[in-house]
Amino acid sequence: AHGMLGEVHVRLACLRAMSRMAASGHSFASNPLLESRLWVCCHDPDDAVKAVANEIWTVTGLELSPTYAPPLLALLSNPAEHARQAAAQAIAAAMTTHTSTASATAKQLCELFTSCVPTTKKMTEAERIEASLFEKPSSNGGPKHPATAAVSEESAWMARSGVALALEACGRQGA
């Protein structure tokens, strides 16, 4: 149910629908989010998805915008591994397509990575109390479930993993 970021069969179904639209002359250039998702699919780890996406990209004559980074960087922390892998490849390809953006995008990758590194700072009792005052209570009104912290740590790990994949792809492509 995540459209172009969903499971393989969902991505293919979305792309086949887009392919039919493209064959009838529909342009996707006026939709930057759709354009960026299609660019990600052009770099999908699944060859069938990649082939259909590249066909659509070619048929529609789309060109990647030099402002590609924000929507692609956001996908580096996607819970789905294939989405992180595709986003990483898409970023590396974008950096080689728009070489003038490579330095700024590399800086953004590093900033994203460092912003997701777990802190080792020990909180004082007063800091713990202050932090707990601003915690959103659980849905039943009680204290937050301990797993909440793990979710945020997992999300941070996914972002760091996505950045690592992107930097690796950049190294392979010479971006």
Side-chain angles (χ1 to χ4, degrees), residues 24-98:
S24 68
H26 185 80
S27 171
F28 302 111
S30 62
N31 189 331
L33 181 60
L34 188 59
E35 181 182 313
S36 72
R37 292 294 196 264
L38 184 58
W39 179 257
V40 168
C41 286
C42 287
H43 300 88
D44 198 277
D46 184 90
D47 289 335
V49 170
K50 191 184 307 184
V52 176
N54 278 304
E55 178 185 326
I56 296 167
W57 191 267
T58 302
V59 166
T60 58
L62 287 173
E63 292 185 27
L64 184 67
S65 166
T67 59
Y68 63 85
L72 299 182
L73 289 167
L75 293 177
L76 293 176
S77 59
N78 191 289
E81 184 176 1
H82 68 269
R84 291 192 309 273
Q85 291 172 340
Q89 295 296 326
I91 288 169
M95 290 170 70
T96 59
T97 300
H98 292 290

Side-chain angles (χ1 to χ4, degrees), residues 88-89 92 164-175:
Q89 295 296 326
L165 289 168
L167 292 173
E168 178 185 25
C170 288
R172 279 196 313 271
Q173 291 190 21

